[in-house]
Amino acid sequence: MIAPLAAPSPSAPAKAPYPLVSVRNLCKHYALRAGWGFGHSVFKAVENVSFDIMPNETLGLVGESGSGKSTIGRAVTMLNPPTSGVVAFEGVDLAEQSGRDMRRMRQRMQMVFQDPYSALNPRMTVGDYVAEPLVIHGLCKTAAERRDLVAELFSKVGLDPRFMARFPHQFSGGQRQRICIARAIGVRPSFIVADEPIAALDVSIQAQVVNLLQDLQEEMGLAYLFISHDLRMVRYLCHRVAVIWKGRIVELAPSAALYGNPLHPYTRRLLSAVPVPDPALERARTRLPEVAALPDDPLAHELVEAEPGHYVARAALS
Ligand SMILES: Nc1ncnc2c1ncn2[C@@H]1O[C@H](COP(=O)(O)OP(=O)(O)OP(=O)(O)O)[C@@H](O)[C@H]1O
Ligand SMILES: [Mg+2]
């Protein structure tokens, strides 16, 4: 079982070794109309998800399309609050924050999305776009100070500060994602949810953006929730990985343990789908068959620690 919330009193900000982010029993349910406008059913997009993210850690979230990864990312940052469960940031339950306190907390938690073009405002210069949160959070006193800070952010993400006056359509996909990252780090967050940040980018650019995320993590002590379909990139970037299947975490382990010794049949199937760069091995690779759904029994879904730090749904062990 994932340990209960280990955090000091809400008034005292948590310091390592306390988790930066603690999620407990997070559920997100959607009411669906049952046709012809009569009645409704409930769709459980995310069910009873619990995990911690330590300061300076990258937790990967992997799973097939529709498994609930983005829903978790949005619930953790309260962009789309959970139906139930607790999300604590630095030991503080986010659901209990007043509007003003929540705004302050938001500054510390940022999101980077998949499609850098739709995230940008086509009518705004990219300099203004990066400066916007600095203004909202009152981080610069004068226009000159703001300009200097934006220029510094541009340099930090590998963009020429002279590009500040340009508009989004004048940039490539990789450059646009750098602009989005510059905006996210400008308010000096300690946690970033990166939801498929490289999926829309050319393969050659993907590695550059991932390296940038790694460099920023080192420099700024950032923690990431890195959501991705790219299992090889997740292995490279993430310290620990959570595998999500039909809205539940079925396995959570340090990357080496998860990739070296996957315990859940769904994880094994997911990994069997990763192409191998060696043609002989790739020809011999067999994709494992679909995994049957687990029984709808909370005990079967409970995560148990199979080896130190390696959690798996109880049903996979029986
Ligand atoms: N507003 C909503 N109303 C009803 N169902 C929703 C809503 N938003 C998401 N869902 C459903 O919740 C499930 C999880 O969606 P989510 O976007 O989290 O998946 P995902 O794992 O991020 O998928 P992808 O890899 O394709 O991005 C999906 O089945 C989706 O259809
Ligand atoms: Mg998604």
Side-chain angles (χ1 to χ4, degrees):
M1 277 268 293
I2 300 266
L5 275 182
S9 77
S11 53
K15 294 259 179 318
Y18 290 110
L20 181 70
V21 179
S22 289
V23 174
R24 290 296 175 276
N25 307 108
L26 185 142
C27 299
K28 183 73 194 182
H29 298 169
Y30 292 107
L32 299 178
R33 285 182 188 227
W36 303 105
F38 297 113
H40 72 273
S41 59
V42 170
F43 174 67
K44 297 178 177 177
V46 173
E47 190 65 359
N48 246 344
V49 161
S50 301
F51 57 84
D52 288 328
I53 304 177
M54 303 303 285
N56 223 355
E57 184 186 36
T58 303
L59 177 71
L61 205 54
V62 298
E64 66 200 27
S65 188
S67 54
K69 304 180 298 295
S70 298
T71 307
I72 294 174
R74 287 168 168 274
V76 168
T77 48
M78 290 282 155
L79 221 62
N80 189 2
T83 309
S84 62
V86 177
V87 178
F89 184 74
E90 296 180 330
V92 177
D93 183 346
L94 294 182
E96 287 175 0
Q97 300 310 296
S98 66
R100 214 183 57 174
D101 287 345
M102 192 58 218
R103 262 196 304 283
R104 208 166 35 80
M105 302 293 265
R106 277 236 164 80
Q107 190 184 327
R108 320 278 322 276
M109 298 183 287
Q110 293 291 307
M111 272 198 90
V112 174
F113 297 97
Q114 171 173 357
D115 181 358
Y117 195 66
S118 62
L120 294 164
N121 181 343
R123 281 177 234 269
M124 214 182 221
T125 66
V126 292
D128 284 346
Y129 178 75
V130 171
E132 196 176 41
L134 306 175
V135 175
I136 291 171
H137 291 288
L139 297 181
C140 319
K141 290 188 190 71
T142 63
E145 201 180 315
R146 191 172 66 225
R147 221 174 20 250
D148 289 350
L149 193 49
V150 172
E152 193 188 313
L153 289 166
F154 268 59
S155 304
K156 205 173 243 180
V157 299
L159 288 173
D160 188 329
R162 286 175 303 178
F163 292 171
M164 269 161 57
R166 295 188 183 179
F167 287 88
H169 70 271
Q170 295 171 292
F171 292 90
S172 71
Q175 287 174 324
R176 286 177 200 150
Q177 196 56 294
R178 285 173 190 270
I179 293 163
C180 293
I181 293 170
R183 176 176 159 116
I185 61 168
V187 291
R188 304 207 70 79
S190 47
F191 175 52
I192 291 182
V193 174
D195 189 354
E196 305 271 10
I198 54 169
L201 305 179
D202 198 83
V203 176
S204 58
I205 307 297
Q206 288 183 346
Q208 290 178 13
V209 171
V210 163
N211 288 339
L212 171 65
L213 291 173
Q214 258 180 336
D215 291 347
L216 292 172
Q217 176 167 54
E218 209 165 291
E219 194 183 322
M220 303 174 67
L222 288 166
Y224 294 119
L225 177 62
F226 184 78
I227 299 172
S228 180
H229 277 105
D230 189 333
L231 291 161
R232 276 184 300 177
M233 208 54 105
V234 167
R235 180 181 201 165
Y236 170 72
L237 183 71
C238 300
H239 302 106
R240 288 186 305 140
V241 181
V243 179
I244 177 145
W245 184 39
K246 297 181 193 298
R248 295 178 187 268
I249 291 182
V250 293
E251 190 160 358
L252 192 163
S255 292
L258 189 105
Y259 284 83
N261 181 27
L263 297 176
H264 197 282
Y266 178 72
T267 312
R268 286 202 282 267
R269 177 178 149 75
L270 212 56
L271 294 180
S272 77
V274 181
V276 186
D278 178 327
L281 290 176
E282 176 60 18
R283 264 195 299 279
R285 179 171 66 91
T286 48
R287 184 153 188 197
L288 296 175
E290 282 279 348
V291 180
L294 291 179
D296 201 14
D297 166 11
L299 262 186
H301 296 290
E302 194 178 70
L303 290 181
V304 291
E305 197 168 12
E307 52 187 20
H310 191 154
Y311 298 87
V312 64
R314 186 188 297 280
L317 292 177
S318 51

